[in-house]
């Protein structure tokens, strides 16, 4: 299976005699080309889910597979390689580097993994063009709008051709029109490039762009069937 799979994942936090269950026996499979949303109130387990799916945090129980590779018991060096090569992250804010142009924001991802080739530059340009940023390639973040900066961040997430795209509240800093624009473009890229994508969001206006919607409360994940 190309994509991501969580099998019976539980995450517990122990503090003195108190135990908190952040995720409770969560199972979920997302295949290539699927765009899935996870909604829920603050403190429900959304961030923990993303951290475990993104190889940033290890589960207390259960297993996580990315492209059929079990990453559950990998060491930190191996997990770092998984994050760099297999996962693209899109955060609440674009987190762009102020002194890099839009094109260089993407190419720096390749520099982290070695050298930059001519093909890398062509691919970065293609990504920016796909996201309507052809006129912004040589612009710095302060020369771009909030929506444009978030689109650059989306392009950056696809730059290493990862299997998985994880988006954490990608519309949090955008107005309604720009939010729709950004999520629609993200969904299009997920389909066109056959990525398995998860978007954690409070913004239920964006759910029409998703194939499936799950609600998480008290660490328990359930599919919503009456939203879209």
């Amino acid at each position: 299976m190309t994509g991501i799979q969580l099998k019976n994942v539980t995450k517990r936090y122990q503090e003195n005699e108190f135990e908190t269950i952040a995720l409770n026996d969560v199972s979920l499979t997302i295949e290539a080309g699927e765009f899935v949303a996870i909604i829920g109130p603050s403190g429900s387990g959304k961030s923990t889910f993303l951290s475990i799916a993104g190889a940033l945090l290890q589960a207390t129980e259960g297993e996580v597979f990315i492209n059929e590779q079990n990453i559950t018991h990998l060491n930190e060096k191996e997990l770092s390689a998984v994050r760099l090569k297999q996962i693209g992250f899109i955060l609440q804010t674009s987190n762009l580097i102020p002194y890099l142009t839009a094109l260089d924001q993407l190419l720096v991802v390749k520099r982290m993994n070695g050298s930059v080739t001519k093909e890398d530059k062509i691919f970065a340009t293609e990504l920016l063009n796909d996201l309507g940023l052809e006129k912004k390639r040589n612009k710095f973040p302060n020369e771009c709008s909030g929506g444009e900066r978030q689109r650059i961040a989306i392009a950056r997430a696809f730059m290493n051709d990862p299997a998985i795209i994880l988006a954490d509240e990608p519309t949090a800093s955008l107005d309604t029109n720009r939010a729709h624009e950004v999520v629609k473009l993200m969904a299009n890229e997920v389909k066109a490039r056959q990525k398995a994508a998860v978007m954690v969001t409070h913004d239920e206006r964006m759910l029409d762009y998703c194939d499936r919607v799950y609600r998480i409360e008290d660490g328990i994940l359930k599919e919503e069937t009456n939203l879209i």
Side-chain angles (χ1 to χ4, degrees):
M1 185 205 77
T2 303
I4 185 167
Q5 185 176 36
L6 279 71
K7 286 185 176 180
N8 306 112
V9 168
T10 293
K11 181 62 179 178
R12 294 189 180 91
Y13 294 100
Q14 193 78 34
E15 187 174 348
N16 300 321
E17 70 271 26
F18 298 105
E19 181 182 75
T20 301
I21 300 177
L23 286 184
N24 192 347
D25 196 29
V26 167
S27 294
L28 177 64
T29 298
I30 304 168
E31 298 188 6
E34 285 192 304
F35 188 29
V36 170
I38 295 179
I39 58 176
S42 297
S44 59
K46 299 191 304 297
S47 295
T48 301
F49 176 93
L50 271 190
S51 295
I52 290 175
L56 293 164
L57 190 65
Q58 289 188 305
T60 309
E61 297 170 13
E63 297 178 300
V64 180
F65 296 83
I66 292 180
N67 280 354
E68 298 183 343
Q69 177 190 12
N70 191 335
I71 69 166
T72 309
H73 301 297
L74 298 184
N75 62 38
E76 184 48 47
K77 184 177 181 182
E78 291 167 331
L79 288 172
S80 179
V82 168
R83 290 193 296 269
L84 184 60
K85 297 176 182 178
Q86 296 282 356
I87 303 171
F89 293 94
I90 304 167
L91 304 177
Q92 293 183 28
T93 55
S94 58
N95 283 348
L96 301 181
I97 300 169
Y99 52 83
L100 293 182
T101 64
L103 184 62
D104 284 335
Q105 303 284 347
L106 275 62
L107 296 179
V108 75
V109 175
K110 285 295 182 181
R111 290 195 179 93
M112 290 168 63
N113 202 25
S115 57
V116 175
T117 65
K118 180 181 178 182
E119 289 74 21
D120 292 335
K121 293 179 181 179
I122 291 171
F123 183 53
T125 300
E126 177 187 308
L127 282 170
L128 292 172
N129 291 350
D130 280 354
L131 289 162
L133 294 163
E134 56 275 1
K135 295 181 179 178
K136 298 292 181 175
R137 279 179 298 181
N138 298 314
K139 299 293 185 182
F140 294 96
N142 65 350
E143 299 176 291
C144 301
S145 69
E148 287 165 347
R149 289 195 293 270
Q150 197 66 323
R151 281 187 274 151
I152 294 168
I154 292 169
R156 181 179 59 190
F158 282 86
M159 186 62 204
N160 261 349
D161 197 23
I164 313 300
I165 299 292
L166 300 177
D168 183 8
E169 300 282 2
T171 62
S173 60
L174 304 176
D175 63 38
T176 299
N177 289 338
R178 286 183 172 83
H180 278 285
E181 173 187 78
V182 161
V183 176
K184 183 179 179 180
L185 286 167
M186 192 189 316
N188 289 344
E189 287 297 298
V190 166
K191 300 294 183 189
R193 300 186 184 279
Q194 286 294 289
K195 307 305 178 188
V198 183
M199 176 178 66
V200 163
T201 183
H202 281 98
D203 193 345
E204 298 194 10
R205 299 168 301 176
M206 301 299 120
L207 301 182
D208 286 345
Y209 300 104
C210 299
D211 299 304
R212 285 180 281 141
V213 177
Y214 290 82
R215 183 177 295 275
I216 190 167
E217 290 188 19
D218 299 323
I220 297 172
L221 188 73
K222 292 182 180 179
E223 185 170 3
E224 293 276 280
T225 57
N226 58 351
L227 280 176
I228 56 176

